[in-house]
Each structure stands twice: as C-alpha cells, then as structure tokens.
Amino acid sequence: MILNPEMECMPREELKKLQSERLVWQVKRMYENVECFRNRMDEKGLKPEDIHGIEDLSKLPFSYKSDLRDYYPYGLFAVSLDDIVRVHASSGTTGKRIVVGYTRDDLKMWSECFARMLSALGVTKSDVVQVAYGYGLFTGGLGAHQGAEYMGCTVVPISSGNTALQIQTMIDFESTVLCCTPSYALYLGEEIEKLGVKDKLKLKVGIFGAEPWTESMRREIEEKLGIKAYDIYGLSEILGPGVSGECECQSGMHVWEDNFIPEIIDPDTGEVLPDGATGELVFTTLTKQGFPLIRYRTRDICSLNYEPCKCGRTHVRMRKPTGRSDDMLIIRGVNVFPSQIEEVLLKVSGDSITPNYQIVVDRVNNNDTFDVNVEMSEKLFADDIKSIEKVEAKITDQLRSMLGIGAKVHLVNPNTIQRSEGKAKRVIDKRKLV
Ligand code: DLL
C-alpha cells in the first residue's frame, strides 16, 4: 500500500518544479524573518529575487550547527513563538543544547513523512507499534509516536530501556512493529534468545535508526527477532526520524524530496559533487515553517543514488551514512562531542587533573561502552585513594548531567596517556562499523 502515490511516485521533472516553487517561497520568507540567513545573503550580495529555482541552490549560503548555538534558543525561528507548538533539543558542541521548533503544520508534515515509511513497509492501522526510542527532547520517541498515531496504528509509547518490561510488553500487547536504535534491537534480540520466547512474539517489522549500523547487524537483528529490519534516518535540525527511510527493497533510504533537497558536497571546499559521489550531506527544508534551514551542513558522510528504485518511488535514495566530517560520536544513540567532555574536565580541573584525557568507545555484547581516562595531577597522585575517588565521582556526575548517558571515568597515573607529536588522539573508537 502506498499512502500518497501522486507525491511519492511523481516524475522527477515535476518534482523538481515543485521543489523550485517551494525553494523560492522559503528563501523569501526566511530573508524576511531570519536575521542570520538575511546577513549571510547580504554578505554574498544576494537578494531573494536572485533565486528562481533549484538551479540557483548552490548560490545560497550554507548553515551550520554553530548557528544554532549562536542564536540559542529561538533566534533562528522563522515564526513567532505563538505559532510554535513543540520544541525538541539535541547535543550541541558545547554545554548548550541546540533547540528546534515546530508549528502545527510542521508536526503534520513530520507525521506524514514517518507514516509514508510505515506505509511503504506494509504497516497499516491494524498494527501495534512499540516505540522504544527515548521520549523527551530527543526526537526519536515522539517522532515515531506521532507518525504511527497519524497512520492510525495502536501505539505503545514505552520509551527506551527496561529490557525485561519491553519484552513482556511486546508479548502481552502483541506488538507487530518495533521502533528503536539498531543496537538496542540487537540487545533485545539477545535477551529474547536467552529467555527462549521468540515464538511468542508477533513482531514483523523493525524501524531502526539514529545511529550507524551495518548490513551484518541487519541480518543478525532479523534473525534474532524474526522480522524485516529497516533503516530510518533523520536529525533534529532538519526534522527528526523520517527525513528519509527505506522501502521494502532495503536498498537505500528515500529522502522525501517534496520536503527536503539533499546535496552532497566536498566537506573541505563546499563544492557540490556529481551524482553518486561520496561526501557531506547537506539539506534544505522546503516546507518547514517554524525552523527552516537552507543548505544545512549535516556533517554526515554518504552518497545519493538517483537510479530508479524497484518500488516505483521516484524520490532519491541516500546510502547508509558511513561516518562524519566532524568529531561527533554516537554512543548508545546519544550524540557526544569530545568538546563537551573537555568542558566538564575544565570545570572540574582545579589542581587535581591534567588536560590529558582519552575517550574510549567499544561495543561489548552489542552495548556501547564509554570510558573516559583522565590523567590526574602529581598532587592528586600523592593524595589518598578517597580523594581520587571523589574527583572521579564528580567528573562522572557532571558528564552524566551534560550528556544524559553514563561514562566510566578512570583517573589514571600522571604521564600514562600516550602523547602525540601532532594532534592529540582524544578518541579511540573500537567499534567496527564497516
Ligand atoms: O537521531 C533522529 C532519529 C531518531 C533518526 C530516530 C532516526 C531514528 P539526532 O539526535 O539529532 O537525531 O542525531 C542525528 O544521528 O546526523 C546522524 O549522524 C545520526 N543518524 C541518524 N539516523 C541515522 C541512520 C536523530 N539511520 C544524527 N544511520 C545524524 C546512521 C544516523 N546515522
């Protein structure tokens, strides 16, 4: 079943025409309402009248995550706060979170994008959708929730965590669709295997995203849960889950191009790369009213596939992101910047620790491990073990409140973290995601 064949299967020429009209509209209203965008246009000597359609897209200025920090919290909104009905937030590169806002129409568009994917996977109003993404400021929980509700499904808003309850709920409520991060899906699969309750499950479809995952993970999840597992992509700045999603072909995520224009650029020069090339993904929001963005640098590295999809949808497919052009890590589905950790260490510092630290991330039993090794000062080293434990506990607490996830903090002896002759190697990511 396809929810909206006119839109999803629209011939590309028509789609481009629609995008052009929407781009012209968006640029004009953003120039009028968003100071940051107006300044960037003025710096380039551009006026909205210079933009006639998508052929002029590459003339437009980029926007960056740092803009969200500089205009925190509401400075990039294109409507008055009276018209914003929801905000979400995500990690910034520093202690300040980035904040995004949605009008009622934006929420409807978001719900539709998510529902399109459900529909593409054969999910109907008869399905029971267990939403095990986190609810709250993170877009995962509410994004999946409203999309499934819009579709008319029965939604189980269980949120993330509490694995025993997740499994019991899945069995008792006869959930047929599971939405969560792929690493959590794998963990659930293992627990289900241990409990020997796979036969009691009614699950058939999994919608997994918010972090990179591999084809081998897909196969393992499918086998352990007895389902078909699909990839979904999104980011808070653009929408949340549903910017793109796989169809039944499982061969790339359709970007809903009536709402978003994707581009692939060279992350160093900003130059637009030819179709099919790998580079940094950039998005322009065409229909979003509350928090629109033009040419937003996602920092995700991937490529676009313009070849026709067997499903008949004409919207371009993005391949799985393979990495980032910045230093953001995704640990247990949460975005973490090394600079956030540095900020905490600076605050704690005093004369107890040195500036030498290392973040070590690994995946053990399908769970991300997150260790922060910090060199203590000679002074603390000479002190008793209680003082050392106290500093460790303080850093642990502050990291948890900054990031929302727990890290194991180890104060290590002075001069034990390897020095580098060039850039310090702050992050060791041992997870294999090829
Ligand atoms: O992760 C939104 C989301 C929720 C997507 C639930 C899918 C499902 P943020 O917390 O702002 O938003 O993180 C966005 O996560 O720039 C990517 O680096 C990464 N990411 C999201 N989906 C995928 C995916 C949500 N399917 C950042 N594969 C993005 C790889 C992904 N990376």
Side-chain angles (χ1 to χ4, degrees):
M1 193 262 257
I2 295 175
L3 201 68
N4 186 352
E6 297 95 77
M7 193 54 87
E8 291 170 39
C9 304
M10 185 181 264
R12 286 206 66 80
E13 279 316 305
E14 270 179 54
L15 193 55
K16 283 183 184 169
K17 210 168 138 236
L18 181 72
Q19 287 182 321
S20 287
E21 284 163 17
R22 291 183 170 177
L23 180 67
V24 169
W25 169 81
Q26 188 68 285
V27 166
K28 183 170 180 295
R29 65 187 287 279
M30 280 183 69
Y31 190 83
E32 282 160 12
N33 298 307
V34 185
E35 184 200 326
C36 171
F37 179 68
R38 187 167 52 246
N39 292 344
R40 294 247 165 88
M41 289 281 280
D42 290 348
E43 277 163 25
K44 281 183 155 248
L46 275 175
K47 291 274 170 264
E49 307 80 77
D50 299 325
I51 304 302
H52 303 102
I54 54 168
E55 65 280 10
D56 295 322
L57 185 63
S58 62
K59 292 183 189 161
L60 289 165
F62 289 120
S63 48
Y64 306 87
K65 196 163 195 140
S66 55
D67 298 339
L68 280 84
R69 181 193 60 210
D70 297 344
Y71 286 85
Y72 176 89
Y74 300 142
L76 295 179
F77 288 11
V79 298
S80 113
L81 213 50
D82 284 5
D83 295 319
I84 295 289
V85 297
R86 166 107 61 85
V87 291
H88 279 282
S90 161
S91 311
T93 47
T94 64
K96 256 186 203 165
R97 317 195 89 205
I98 56 153
V99 179
V100 296
Y102 304 80
T103 64
R104 206 173 288 285
D105 284 347
D106 293 338
L107 289 186
K108 182 165 177 278
M109 180 272 283
W110 185 6
S111 302
E112 262 176 31
C113 285
F114 196 93
R116 270 186 201 177
M117 176 165 180
L118 289 174
S119 170
L121 305 180
V123 175
T124 68
K125 65 195 281 297
S126 313
D127 279 290
V128 179
V129 181
Q130 183 155 332
V131 180
Y133 285 118
Y135 278 64
L137 289 174
F138 175 56
T139 53
L142 278 163
H145 180 117
Q146 71 201 1
E149 214 169 72
Y150 183 82
M151 177 96 200
C153 305
T154 307
V155 181
V156 184
I158 190 163
S159 195
S160 55
N162 202 342
T163 305
L165 182 69
Q166 287 289 351
I167 297 171
Q168 198 55 54
T169 306
M170 220 174 265
I171 296 169
D172 294 349
F173 295 6
E174 303 186 347
S175 303
T176 53
V177 180
L178 174 65
C179 302
C180 63
T181 59
S183 49
Y184 192 53
L186 202 47
Y187 182 63
L188 279 168
E190 278 175 351
E191 292 303 300
I192 284 163
E193 217 165 47
K194 276 189 211 153
L195 294 168
V197 293
K198 186 175 163 189
D199 289 353
K200 296 192 177 155
L201 301 181
K202 294 273 190 308
L203 283 183
K204 53 179 194 182
V205 165
I207 299 178
F208 307 129
E211 61 184 7
W213 53 309
T214 58
E215 282 305 320
S216 72
M217 255 173 105
R218 183 192 324 250
R219 282 191 295 275
E220 236 184 294
I221 295 171
E222 291 190 333
E223 152 60 29
K224 285 192 163 52
L225 291 173
I227 58 169
K228 289 291 255 179
Y230 298 96
D231 200 357
I232 184 166
Y233 169 91
L235 63 165
S236 317
E237 297 91 308
I238 298 300
L239 192 74
V243 173
S244 67
E246 282 185 329
C247 62
E248 275 174 321
C249 302
Q250 291 181 317
S251 62
M253 296 178 271
H254 290 281
V255 177
W256 303 124
E257 284 184 278
D258 47 329
N259 295 309
F260 312 104
I261 309 179
E263 295 170 273
I264 296 288
I265 62 158
D266 177 324
D268 298 323
T269 63
E271 199 188 319
V272 178
L273 297 177
D275 288 359
T278 299
E280 183 183 329
L281 183 62
V282 168
F283 278 114
T284 294
T285 66
L286 292 172
T287 50
K288 240 170 86 174
Q289 299 171 1
F291 184 83
L293 283 170
I294 298 282
R295 304 196 82 203
Y296 181 70
R297 304 272 306 251
T298 66
R299 302 290 175 189
D300 287 318
I301 301 293
C302 79
S303 60
L304 298 173
N305 179 1
Y306 284 94
E307 280 164 28
C309 182
K310 284 199 196 97
C311 73
R313 287 179 184 78
T314 49
H315 295 227
V316 67
R317 284 169 288 163
M318 58 179 268
R319 300 195 173 87
K320 276 179 178 299
T322 53
R324 305 256 321 160
S325 70
D326 63 4
D327 55 0
M328 187 179 94
L329 294 158
I330 305 181
I331 305 174
R332 292 175 220 136
V334 173
N335 303 346
V336 174
F337 288 93
S339 48
Q340 293 176 294
I341 292 164
E342 214 158 298
E343 199 170 306
V344 166
L345 297 180
L346 270 174
K347 258 194 236 153
V348 173
S349 173
D351 54 3
S352 54
I353 57 174
T354 75
N356 298 305
Y357 72 95
Q358 206 153 42
I359 302 160
V360 184
V361 191
D362 203 351
R363 191 160 280 169
V364 178
N365 296 332
N366 295 311
N367 266 323
D368 287 339
T369 60
F370 176 24
D371 292 80
V372 180
N373 301 326
V374 187
E375 256 183 29
M376 64 183 117
S377 63
E378 296 284 354
K379 183 172 173 294
L380 185 64
F381 184 56
D383 222 330
D384 60 300
I385 185 80
K386 281 242 155 55
S387 313
I388 297 175
E389 283 171 0
K390 229 163 118 185
V391 177
E392 257 174 6
K394 193 168 166 195
I395 300 175
T396 307
D397 277 358
Q398 297 212 3
L399 279 179
R400 179 178 282 286
S401 77
M402 164 82 86
L403 306 171
I405 51 168
K408 277 203 186 116
V409 176
H410 313 274
L411 284 188
V412 298
N413 293 350
N415 297 312
T416 49
I417 290 183
Q418 204 185 354
R419 305 297 192 264
S420 141
E421 285 177 4
K423 263 188 177 202
K425 191 161 170 50
R426 297 290 187 211
V427 180
I428 302 180
D429 193 342
K430 298 180 178 167
R431 296 172 295 185
K432 298 224 169 12
L433 285 168
V434 196

